[in-house]
Amino acid sequence: MLFNSINYEIAAVGFDILIIALLYYKKALPTIENKNFKYLVYSVFIATCLTIAYGMIDKLNCAISIKYISAIIANISSVVVLALYGIYAMSLIHYNKMKLFRTVVQLVIPAVCIISIALTPVSRMVFYYNDKGKYCTGMLGKCITMYYVVYIIAVSVYMIKFWKELKIKQGILILFIDIMLLHSYVVPDINKSYSTEPFLVAGALCLFIVYIFIHDPDYYVDIRTGKFNMHGFKHV
């Protein structure tokens, strides 16, 4: 993950702050999917800030060790974001089957990616800095890209398999988000003319859309009393 421009990430921070403000000022239903959505929003915000810091450090004439640390943290934060997205999307389906699949997708594979990224200063397998201080992709760099692709596809397959457990609006939105995330990550990787990978800004935009159509508390709260209406009590 190499960013020559952080303009996208700076724009994404604005969307993240807006969503966090809405979550803070509006009362949400105490459901597992709402909690997971909140964790996902926070993780995207943190990952975006870390990526901006990494982009700034990478442009400066800093020590290689500082560049390694910032790059590792930024890459790991993106893996965590994707893992939390999978946890959130699958929590929309209140289903207890395929626990092994969920464990592998949500925990095992992300853990392997995080360990691989953390060890990259020694192994130089995921990425490394050459003698001129330039960021280079290692042998496992493409594997991390494939992890993103396979992960998003796995989430889509899971959602399609248990489509009947979802509301139509939820299912369509999640599949739309999966397509957006795949496009934002894969296309820049294929087309080298892109100066950045707008994965996090695409994530921020998708979260804003999800909040409006799925998690807006106004649908569940009576405007006059500020208490849950019938939709809210049924959902709980």
Side-chain angles (χ1 to χ4, degrees):
M1 185 194 337
L2 175 60
F3 297 95
N4 297 321
S5 172
I6 58 174
N7 294 333
Y8 283 103
E9 284 65 42
I10 293 174
V13 169
F15 280 101
D16 295 334
I17 292 175
L18 175 60
I19 300 171
I20 291 172
L22 291 171
L23 290 173
Y24 181 79
Y25 285 109
K26 290 191 175 184
K27 185 178 181 181
L29 295 175
T31 59
I32 186 65
E33 57 264 34
N34 280 342
K35 291 179 181 178
N36 287 338
F37 179 75
K38 186 182 296 185
Y39 297 147
L40 178 59
V41 171
Y42 292 155
S43 70
V44 171
F45 173 71
I46 294 171
T48 306
C49 292
L50 291 173
T51 301
I52 291 173
Y54 157 57
M56 296 175 65
I57 290 173
D58 193 62
K59 290 179 180 295
L60 299 175
N61 189 23
C62 298
I64 294 297
S65 59
I66 301 298
K67 289 187 175 183
Y68 264 117
I69 292 172
S70 62
I72 288 171
I73 293 175
N75 277 276
I76 288 177
S77 67
S78 292
V79 174
V80 171
V81 165
L82 199 60
L84 289 177
Y85 168 68
I87 292 173
Y88 161 71
M90 293 181 182
S91 69
L92 292 174
I93 300 174
H94 302 285
Y95 219 80
N96 293 321
K97 290 185 177 181
M98 297 184 69
K99 288 185 178 180
L100 178 60
F101 173 83
R102 294 176 70 146
T103 301
V104 171
V105 171
Q106 296 174 356
L107 297 176
V108 177
I109 298 178
V112 171
C113 289
I114 289 172
I115 292 172
S116 300
I117 293 170
L119 294 176
T120 198
V122 177
S123 66
R124 298 167 67 92
M125 296 293 284
V126 178
F127 67 88
Y128 62 92
Y129 284 92
N130 60 20
D131 296 336
K132 296 181 179 180
K134 184 179 179 181
Y135 182 104
C136 302
T137 302
M139 293 177 60
L140 291 181
K142 292 298 180 182
C143 293
I144 301 297
T145 300
M146 287 304 301
Y147 154 73
Y148 278 80
V149 174
V150 172
Y151 192 98
I152 295 172
I153 292 175
V155 171
S156 300
V157 170
Y158 186 89
M159 304 304 283
I160 293 172
K161 181 176 178 61
F162 299 111
W163 184 267
K164 292 182 180 180
E165 303 293 325
L166 284 169
K167 296 177 181 178
I168 295 178
K169 181 169 61 176
Q170 291 176 332
I172 293 174
L173 270 177
I174 294 301
L175 292 179
F176 169 77
I177 289 171
D178 290 345
I179 294 171
M180 287 284 292
L181 294 179
L182 277 173
H183 182 273
S184 67
Y185 197 85
V186 174
V187 172
D189 190 69
I190 296 174
N191 187 350
K192 301 302 180 182
S193 64
Y194 277 65
S195 62
T196 185
E197 291 173 349
F199 175 72
L200 290 173
V201 70
L205 288 170
C206 290
L207 287 177
F208 186 68
I209 294 171
V210 169
Y211 176 83
I212 292 174
F213 287 98
I214 297 180
H215 294 280
D216 189 352
D218 288 342
Y219 179 72
Y220 302 102
V221 176
D222 186 277
I223 299 176
R224 294 168 296 180
T225 63
K227 305 296 182 181
F228 292 141
N229 55 25
M230 289 302 297
H231 294 293
F233 285 114
K234 288 179 179 179
H235 196 75
V236 174

